[in-house]
Amino acid sequence: MKFGPIAIDEAEGAVLAHATAAGEKRFRKAHRLSAEDVSILKRAGVLQVVAAVLSSGDLGEDAAAQRIAESMTFNGIEARPAATGRVNLHAKASGIFTVDAAVIDAINAVDPAITIATLAQHAPVEKGQMVATVKIIPFAVASSLVDTVTKICAGGEIFAVNAYQPVRVGVIQTVLPGIKPSVLDKTLRVTEARLARSGGRLTAERRTPHEIAPVAEAAASLARDNDMVVIFGASAMSDFADVVPAAIEMAGGTVIRAGMPVDPGNLLVLGTLGGKRVIGAPGCARSPKENGFDWVLDRLIAGLDVTAKDIAGMGVGGLLMEIPTRPQPREPLPAKSRLKVAIVLLAAGRSSRMGGPNKLMALFDGKPLVRRTAERALGSKASGTVVVTGHQRERVRAALSGLDVTFADNPDFADGLSTSLKAGIAYLPEDTAGVMIVLGDMPGVVSDDLDRLIDAFRKAGGNSVVRASHQGKRGNPVLLPRSLFPAIAHLEGDTGARHLVEAEGLDVIDVEIGEGASVDVDTREALEGAGGVLQD
């Protein structure tokens, strides 16, 4: 193909590179000039045009694109007629798009004149959505290049839209003290909507204690009558031998993968039981927002296999959650910058693992640990600090003498962590938007760390859980939004707010604060290693 300025006397059969006017008549770009067109241009005084002249071995852009599209093997997709050197391919039904990336790369490596662009691997698509396009860049391309591409296409299916199937899904929800029925009902509604968009339907639900045996029994029962079972644990998996994976195995199933490199969605469990797939849903699956659960569920409903290797490969692109370092948060609301965040400092424990002495009285740089922690809380952006006392309450109060804190006495401290959480939150003002739970025995957490958590909470609009972390592992302190306060009031025993966070399906923002997030001083060795000196 020859491209460039061409004398008008030699332009018959050439393809115009630009729209060209001849008096009142206008020839569009890519128009092939006929003998009559040349005469009109000459009469209008046009002496030359910028055009492409095809050689005998060239194919025009539309013919080349059409020929390549016709040589492809695909499924669930239709090709539209070629126009302007392009053939667009569209989904015949809603489903999941799959593509042989190596073939696409091979085609695009033949010559820059020939291009194919597609959606990402495993992208969800709607019926009629464009999933790929073949585009010839110049007005013509050598037929030998098209021949090379068609040979590559002959290797097998290049891409497909795997249509969603009308699968039947049974749901199990486990229950712990403090889980409100409204949370479970909301989970069902969200799950039904998630299934409806992809052609599945929820057929049955079982609610069981958060224990291995009853979950295993319910899973076995639902697997007999459904195509898939989804288990929502009241507390998400914290170990590979936890309730959900253990229940799958007790029921006679196999755990394919526990844990996934997608956030949110890390705590997903995938298994098989009686030839049916079982998903242990992460807590974030209670929310309609996209998470790793969607990635696995949609593929399975589209009839695609999901292996342990598939899940292991989801890490690149798997960071879905809001992070404070992102320059444009989802909803930057300046008015939220004044949201009040209070601190509840837990100082009621008995230091039972210390073997006698109260660790909160241990001296760090000559100062009781509980006082140093309280001073750091007061030095933060928090609107106020409530100190929950219980064991040796008078001694703890004396150590905090002169500090501007509010004391909340917990006479039931021996009954577990939940009692201290409830005691502290009961003292918070009505306009408190969030509470940061600060443990009294974490000497490495400083005021700046607390401020970073508060800033992240405000930036996210006051509706997210904010959690300190170290090297990707969750730690303390944890900042909870007001929406969790009613559920905390129903906690019992030595239970914290962790499973409530998972059950509500709230966004969780992890803030890296360094080693201080994971250093507590439960034992003598840990305390002395952190620089503390025990007192009798």
Side-chain angles (χ1 to χ4, degrees), residues 3-39:
F3 181 88
I6 300 172
I8 195 64
D9 289 332
E10 302 173 359
E12 183 178 345
V15 179
L16 287 176
H18 312 292
T20 304
E24 295 183 358
K25 187 170 181 62
R26 183 177 178 84
F27 297 98
R28 62 177 176 79
K29 175 184 176 180
H31 175 71
R32 187 183 290 269
L33 294 173
S34 67
E36 182 181 356
D37 297 334
V38 171
S39 296

Side-chain angles (χ1 to χ4, degrees), residues 19-339:
T20 304
E24 295 183 358
K25 187 170 181 62
R26 183 177 178 84
F27 297 98
R28 62 177 176 79
K29 175 184 176 180
H31 175 71
R32 187 183 290 269
L33 294 173
S34 67
E36 182 181 356
D37 297 334
V38 171
S39 296
I40 294 172
L41 289 166
K42 289 173 69 174
R43 288 196 298 269
V46 177
L47 300 179
Q48 68 176 20
V49 291
V50 178
V53 178
L54 279 60
S55 67
S56 60
D58 289 338
L59 280 175
E61 55 179 347
D62 286 352
Q66 192 73 42
R67 183 175 163 193
I68 290 171
E70 290 174 352
S71 72
M72 292 178 171
T73 300
F74 42 76
N75 183 45
I77 296 170
E78 62 178 354
R80 303 285 171 84
T84 65
R86 183 186 299 276
V87 171
N88 294 332
L89 299 106
H90 296 254
K92 290 183 177 180
S94 298
I96 297 295
F97 178 73
T98 52
V99 58
D100 189 329
V103 173
I104 299 298
D105 290 345
I107 292 171
N108 286 325
V110 170
D111 190 276
I114 300 172
T115 68
I116 299 183
T118 78
L119 294 180
Q121 182 77 280
H122 295 122
V125 300
E126 299 293 331
K127 181 179 180 180
Q129 181 178 344
M130 187 167 75
V131 299
T133 185
V134 179
K135 171 63 178 173
I136 306 301
I137 302 240
F139 292 119
V141 64
S143 58
S144 59
L145 294 177
V146 175
D147 290 340
T148 300
V149 171
T150 59
K151 289 178 181 177
I152 295 171
C153 293
E157 183 177 276
I158 297 178
F159 36 59
V161 170
N162 304 272
Y164 294 127
Q165 305 299 315
V167 298
R168 298 165 300 163
V169 180
V171 168
I172 299 169
Q173 297 200 72
T174 70
V175 180
L176 284 172
I179 293 289
K180 296 182 294 184
S182 61
V183 171
L184 304 180
D185 295 340
K186 173 191 171 185
T187 300
L188 279 184
R189 292 193 300 271
V190 169
T191 304
E192 287 176 333
R194 188 172 258 125
L195 291 171
R197 77 182 183 212
S198 52
R201 62 188 181 92
L202 195 158
T203 62
E205 183 209 15
R206 302 282 189 275
R207 295 185 181 182
T208 74
H210 190 68
E211 299 169 7
I212 297 172
V215 174
E217 182 180 353
S221 173
L222 289 175
R224 285 192 292 269
D225 301 321
N226 292 278
D227 303 303
M228 187 186 307
V229 177
V230 178
I231 306 172
F232 289 91
S235 179
M237 177 190 67
S238 59
D239 187 89
F240 301 136
D242 209 343
V243 170
V244 173
I248 293 172
E249 293 184 341
M250 176 178 281
T254 301
V255 174
I256 296 171
R257 172 91 183 194
M260 70 184 307
V262 179
D263 194 356
N266 290 140
L267 304 182
L268 179 139
V269 179
L270 178 64
T272 60
L273 177 59
K276 312 293 179 61
R277 288 306 181 98
V278 181
I279 305 177
C284 58
R286 297 183 188 271
S287 164
K289 295 182 179 179
E290 182 187 15
N291 58 78
F293 176 67
D294 292 288
W295 292 14
V296 173
L297 179 68
D298 286 353
R299 293 190 201 182
L300 293 176
I301 289 178
L304 296 172
D305 191 19
V306 179
T307 66
K309 183 179 179 181
D310 292 333
I311 294 178
M314 293 178 179
V316 176
L319 184 58
L320 305 177
M321 67 182 296
E322 180 60 62
I323 55 175
T325 54
R326 211 169 264 166
Q328 293 184 332
R330 284 195 193 100
E331 297 188 21
L333 301 174
K336 299 295 186 180
S337 63
R338 295 183 295 275
L339 290 173

Side-chain angles (χ1 to χ4, degrees), residues 398-424:
L400 300 177
S401 176
L403 297 183
D404 185 20
V405 300
T406 299
F407 289 103
D409 185 41
N410 175 22
D412 301 318
F413 67 90
D415 292 338
L417 177 61
S418 65
T419 61
S420 289
L421 289 175
K422 290 187 284 189

